[in-house]
Amino acid sequence: MTRRAFVAPALLCAAVALAYAPSQGGGFLEWDDGWLVRDNAWLRASASRAWPAFVARFDLETRTELGAEYLPVRDTLVWIEVALVGLSPAALRAFTLAWYLCGVLLLRAYLRRTLADRRAAEVATWLFALHPLHVEGAAWISSHKDVLAFALVAAALLVHAGGIGARRAAVVVALLALAHFAKSSSVIALGLLLAHDLYVGRRLSIALYAPAAAVAIVATSVHVHVGRIVAMTAALPPGGRLALAATMGPVWLRDLAHLAWPAKLSALYAVPDRAAGDVSAWIGWAVVAALALGAAVAWRRGAKLPALALAWLILPRLPTSQVLAPLQNRMADRYLFLCVLAPALLAGAAAARWWRVGRIAAAALALALAITTAERAAVFSGNLALWADTADTLVPQLRRPGRPPGVARATLGNLATALVAEGRLADAERLYRAVVARWPDDPKALNNLAELAFRQGRAAESRALFDEVVRRFPRYELGRQNYRLHFGEPPAR
């Protein structure tokens, strides 16, 4: 390779690093970073104690402490990073971004090897790398699993694109196995390899697909088993799986909108519920079906790229689409991490076909995405910025019918906690009072309001609030512990 060959990837890395610069000076976010990384004793344990727990312990306590998942590859990586740099949020954020850049470069190499027009591959890579939907994965320490699995899947695709053979198959299977235990939803990656082979017209290799499928099945079984241990899946709605599928209709529409243009992104989303008998529940599925039909028609006419883009749109979303299992969260930016390549592929192909105008349009789009990514990255620079932005985006949506209130309660509570950390106690108190008034049956909000009153020196008011906590919520142990800490033994239940 010549020196000139390194210019384009170096510029790409520089552009991505510049776009993510606003997030790099931040600390731990009180959105899993605290308990999963900063306060996680396993990450400070010796290798002889930590690594057997990462791999071989399936008890509820250990799995809950490790994120309520079985991800030994992710856990080992973070353990190594902590051993190298300590619990430095700046260094861990840099590691997260570095893994993202590694995945981007591997994806670029894969696309340049796969697509006939390297200009299309270059444009697709830039649009993918600078898309704001990736900020949650690349700027959040707790999202190590997303960027690590992305890099491993991209590496597997790159090796697979180089040809077939026993040695290559073994490397691909090993990379996929690592990805499956870095992030559970990566078990669908085998489908992306299949989509590649169909796109390039390659004969399917039993030496690859048989062991890779076996590894994916084993990994899926382990993840399902651990999910049952920690009770991460939600209960089926009364209407069964048909009603469950109906809840994804509005989600598909919003996913497609965010992929086309990422406006109003949020750390949490209030997704409206739709009954199976509601026609509007199936509009999103109808749009997806129409896209599939369009890709099939294009394939018959000799245009294979729309089908490849459709595979990248659908397959990575399947594990979190409520089809396999009911999940507590139906919508999140990180669920669309790999799906971003779908519109990027189509935009890259269009730019390459009409290159004189297309390169200008692609450059303008990449610049707009980079600016939006920088703005989104700034949101992830700290707790106050994150939860203030989430509240600004989320709370107005809750005025519409059908929006679940739980995410708003969590958002406002997190925002109030961030205000306390910033020393803005009066603002935090007003917010806690609003939460208590809106959700009077929430013991946590009332407990936090009592704690805040004590912190501001209003002991009598604090005790009265704690009396209300232990009287109304006798099973809320944290309230009783705080009462005992400040005022002695609480009244008997």
Side-chain angles (χ1 to χ4, degrees):
M1 295 180 67
T2 63
R3 291 184 180 180
R4 188 175 181 181
F6 289 94
V7 172
L11 288 175
L12 175 60
C13 288
V16 173
L18 185 62
Y20 279 86
S23 69
Q24 289 302 292
F28 291 110
L29 297 177
E30 293 306 325
W31 186 35
D32 293 349
D33 282 355
W35 67 272
L36 187 59
V37 180
R38 183 192 61 209
D39 303 327
N40 193 332
W42 290 112
L43 298 180
R44 300 188 298 275
S46 64
S48 61
R49 182 170 176 264
W51 291 359
F54 295 160
V55 175
R57 291 187 61 173
F58 288 86
D59 58 281
L60 175 60
E61 181 180 1
T62 301
R63 296 270 56 96
T64 301
E65 291 171 349
L66 292 173
E69 295 178 276
Y70 181 76
L71 303 177
V73 175
R74 187 277 313 269
D75 296 336
T76 300
L77 172 72
V78 179
W79 185 94
I80 293 172
E81 291 176 357
V82 170
L84 290 173
V85 301
L87 289 170
S88 166
L92 294 175
R93 282 174 179 262
F95 271 122
T96 307
L97 182 58
W99 279 108
Y100 177 62
L101 288 172
C102 180
V104 166
L105 293 177
L106 289 166
L107 180 68
R108 175 180 180 270
Y110 164 71
L111 292 177
R112 285 169 63 85
R113 182 170 287 182
T114 301
L115 301 183
D117 194 324
R118 290 195 170 185
R119 296 175 301 181
E122 201 69 40
V123 171
T125 303
W126 277 76
L127 298 182
F128 176 91
L130 293 171
H131 202 288
L133 275 173
H134 291 147
V135 173
E136 183 173 290
W140 181 28
I141 296 173
S142 292
S143 197
H144 254 63
K145 61 183 181 181
D146 293 279
V147 291
L148 178 58
F150 165 49
L152 290 167
V153 170
L157 285 164
L158 176 59
V159 175
H160 181 61
I164 58 176
R167 290 185 178 181
R168 285 184 179 272
V171 173
V172 171
V173 171
L175 289 169
L176 290 179
L178 291 172
H180 298 345
F181 292 109
K183 184 180 180 182
S184 58
S185 61
S186 68
V187 295
I188 206 69
L190 185 60
L192 299 177
L193 269 67
L194 177 61
H196 168 87
D197 285 347
L198 294 175
Y199 176 74
V200 300
R202 178 193 291 173
R203 178 177 57 86
L204 303 186
S205 170
I206 298 299
L208 167 67
Y209 283 98
V215 168
I217 292 171
V218 170
T220 301
S221 301
V222 172
H223 291 311
V224 170
H225 175 66
V226 172
R228 290 172 178 167
I229 292 174
V230 299
M232 282 295 290
T233 57
L236 278 171
R241 293 201 173 273
L242 184 64
L244 189 64
T247 65
M248 277 297 295
V251 176
W252 277 117
L253 289 177
R254 293 177 68 176
D255 281 353
L256 292 171
H258 284 171
L259 288 167
W261 185 251
K264 296 183 179 179
L265 300 182
S266 177
L268 300 174
Y269 290 97
V271 182
D273 289 322
R274 293 286 187 269
D278 187 346
V279 175
S280 64
W282 303 104
I283 294 177
W285 287 105
V287 172
V288 173
L291 293 175
L293 179 62
V297 171
W299 183 282
R300 287 183 62 93
R301 294 181 177 179
K304 294 184 176 181
L305 189 66
L308 181 63
L310 181 72
W312 280 89
L313 172 67
I314 302 296
L315 291 177
R317 191 64 165 98
L318 279 181
T320 56
S321 66
Q322 304 288 78
V323 174
L324 301 179
L327 302 177
Q328 295 174 353
N329 294 326
R330 281 176 281 168
M331 187 173 178
D333 292 354
R334 59 190 177 275
Y335 293 167
L336 300 176
F337 198 103
L338 296 180
C339 302
V340 173
L341 189 59
L345 283 171
L346 298 177
R353 183 173 182 178
W354 297 282
W355 187 240
R356 287 188 177 181
V357 177
R359 59 185 176 182
I360 298 174
L365 179 56
L367 179 60
L369 289 173
I371 293 172
T372 309
T373 291
E375 293 174 347
R376 185 70 185 154
V379 169
F380 279 76
S381 63
N383 290 300
L384 187 57
L386 175 64
W387 296 115
D389 175 83
T390 305
D392 288 343
T393 304
L394 186 64
V395 172
Q397 299 176 10
L398 295 169
R399 300 191 182 100
R400 303 172 189 171
R403 261 60 172 188
V407 287
R409 178 167 48 187
T411 297
L412 296 177
N414 289 332
L415 177 56
T417 302
L419 289 169
V420 171
E422 293 288 325
R424 295 170 56 179
L425 303 186
D427 292 336
E429 181 175 347
R430 282 193 293 271
L431 196 52
Y432 278 136
R433 290 190 182 280
V435 173
V436 169
R438 175 64 178 82
W439 293 284
D441 293 329
D442 182 2
K444 182 178 179 180
L446 190 59
N447 172 79
N448 290 340
L449 182 60
E451 279 286 313
L452 193 57
F454 185 86
R455 181 169 175 173
Q456 295 179 89
R458 305 198 306 268
E461 179 184 352
S462 174
R463 182 162 190 162
L465 290 169
F466 273 122
D467 281 335
E468 184 178 357
V469 171
V470 299
R471 175 178 55 82
R472 293 180 55 202
F473 310 102
R475 296 185 180 276
Y476 185 61
E477 288 300 327
L478 181 59
R480 301 184 70 84
Q481 292 174 14
N482 290 333
Y483 191 109
R484 190 177 296 112
L485 177 66
H486 298 313
F487 305 110
E489 193 64 30
R493 297 181 184 181

